[in-house]
Amino acid sequence: SSFGIEAWQRLRRSTAVVIGAGGTGSITIPMLARAGVGRIVIVDSDHITPSNLERTHASFPRHVEARTLKAELARDHVRAIDPDIEVIAYEGRLPQADIVAEVLRADVLVGCTDQHTSRLAVADMARRYLVPAIDCGGLIEGADGRVTGQIIQLVVFRPDDPCPVCRGMIDPVRVAQELMSDEERRAIRGRADEGAVPREAHEIPQIDTVGYITTVSGTLAAGYAIGWLTGRFDPPFERMQMNLI
């Protein structure tokens, strides 16, 4: 390890829980593995789809055809890097009881999804169970056929940090959209007059991003997690945004 043998020993004894194994998570997870983290828990409920191939590390067309779970893909990636790492993949999401139990054993929690509900859950885990957490994400902004912003965001959630609602990071309509099932959404649309469908019943907007943005964001999150686990450095921010344009 670049930080010395004692730091490597700390990493080997550590447990990291990563929520999300898509664009950001699929690079955060192998970075933690290559650093020497001894136990990695991966949580994701989605399968690999064609659009994921652009930014999900270790994914190939065969994984789309096989409807491979993102968590299982990331698990196999870790095993290929270091078979001595204990790696567990969960198809699910917080706050499932078995996943919360894993958080209780964790030394660090990393949020790698674009969901507002997930960000709330990660912050809640940090506060309730005193597990330091870092949340990462990225997006592309544009207008008139030009890219106007390439945004990376990292947010730290320690037990005594403000929650994401207090920081103005949560859209309650987006939360309602994420919690609504497809059946509920269709039922509301069926009852609503033309043009009067409430916002929460609209489809969840797709966040525009590309692989180099998610890779940079996930790599930075892994780096700060490694700093925490080794005791070598702490994130010098509560919330950091970078516009690469």
Side-chain angles (χ1 to χ4, degrees), residues 18-32 44 52 55-57 70 110-115 119 134-139 151-154 209-222:
V18 182
I19 308 298
T24 51
S26 68
I27 188 62
T28 298
I29 292 160
M31 291 293 290
L32 295 171
D44 200 299
N52 300 143
R55 57 187 173 274
T56 301
H57 291 257
K70 292 179 182 178
V110 187
C112 295
T113 81
D114 57 6
Q115 295 182 327
R119 187 167 293 123
I134 186 164
D135 184 88
C136 64
L139 62 87
I151 314 299
I152 289 171
Q153 175 174 272
L154 299 176
T209 190
V210 292
Y212 60 87
I213 294 292
T214 55
T215 295
V216 172
S217 181
T219 300
L220 288 172

Side-chain angles (χ1 to χ4, degrees), residues 110-127:
V110 187
C112 295
T113 81
D114 57 6
Q115 295 182 327
H116 288 221
T117 48
S118 177
R119 187 167 293 123
L120 284 168
V122 167
D124 189 54
M125 294 296 103
R127 178 174 292 274

Side-chain angles (χ1 to χ4, degrees), residues 95-118:
Q96 288 177 209
D98 49 355
I99 299 170
V100 172
E102 294 289 357
V103 173
L104 288 170
R105 300 178 58 189
D107 300 288
V108 69
L109 176 61
V110 187
C112 295
T113 81
D114 57 6
Q115 295 182 327
H116 288 221
T117 48
S118 177

Side-chain angles (χ1 to χ4, degrees), residues 14-195:
S14 296
T15 294
V17 175
V18 182
I19 308 298
T24 51
S26 68
I27 188 62
T28 298
I29 292 160
M31 291 293 290
L32 295 171
R34 293 183 188 280
V37 174
R39 188 170 185 272
I40 301 175
V41 179
I42 303 163
V43 180
D44 200 299
S45 60
D46 292 335
H47 298 82
I48 296 293
T49 63
S51 65
N52 300 143
L53 296 176
E54 188 272 335
R55 57 187 173 274
T56 301
H57 291 257
S59 68
F60 296 95
R62 67 176 184 272
H63 297 119
V64 176
E65 296 170 5
R67 288 183 51 78
T68 304
L69 287 166
K70 292 179 182 178
E72 293 181 353
L73 177 67
R75 177 200 62 197
D76 294 345
H77 194 185
V78 171
R79 288 176 175 171
I81 291 169
D82 185 349
D84 291 331
I85 292 174
E86 181 184 358
V87 56
I88 302 169
Y90 282 95
E91 179 187 3
R93 57 187 299 173
L94 284 172
Q96 288 177 209
D98 49 355
I99 299 170
V100 172
E102 294 289 357
V103 173
L104 288 170
R105 300 178 58 189
D107 300 288
V108 69
L109 176 61
V110 187
C112 295
T113 81
D114 57 6
Q115 295 182 327
H116 288 221
T117 48
S118 177
R119 187 167 293 123
L120 284 168
V122 167
D124 189 54
M125 294 296 103
R127 178 174 292 274
R128 286 176 182 268
Y129 304 119
L130 311 183
V131 180
I134 186 164
D135 184 88
C136 64
L139 62 87
I140 296 284
E141 296 176 337
D144 300 323
R146 297 279 297 176
V147 173
T148 58
Q150 301 185 85
I151 314 299
I152 289 171
Q153 175 174 272
L154 299 176
V155 186
V156 171
F157 295 118
R158 288 162 292 218
D160 56 348
D161 283 333
C163 75
V165 175
C166 301
R167 300 187 203 185
M169 298 171 57
I170 301 300
D171 179 354
V173 173
R174 177 64 182 269
V175 171
Q177 288 176 318
E178 292 174 1
L179 294 176
M180 188 178 295
S181 69
D182 291 337
E183 292 76 14
E184 290 172 319
R185 190 172 286 112
R186 284 193 293 266
I188 292 173
R189 287 177 172 177
R191 293 194 301 266
D193 295 330
E194 186 70 26

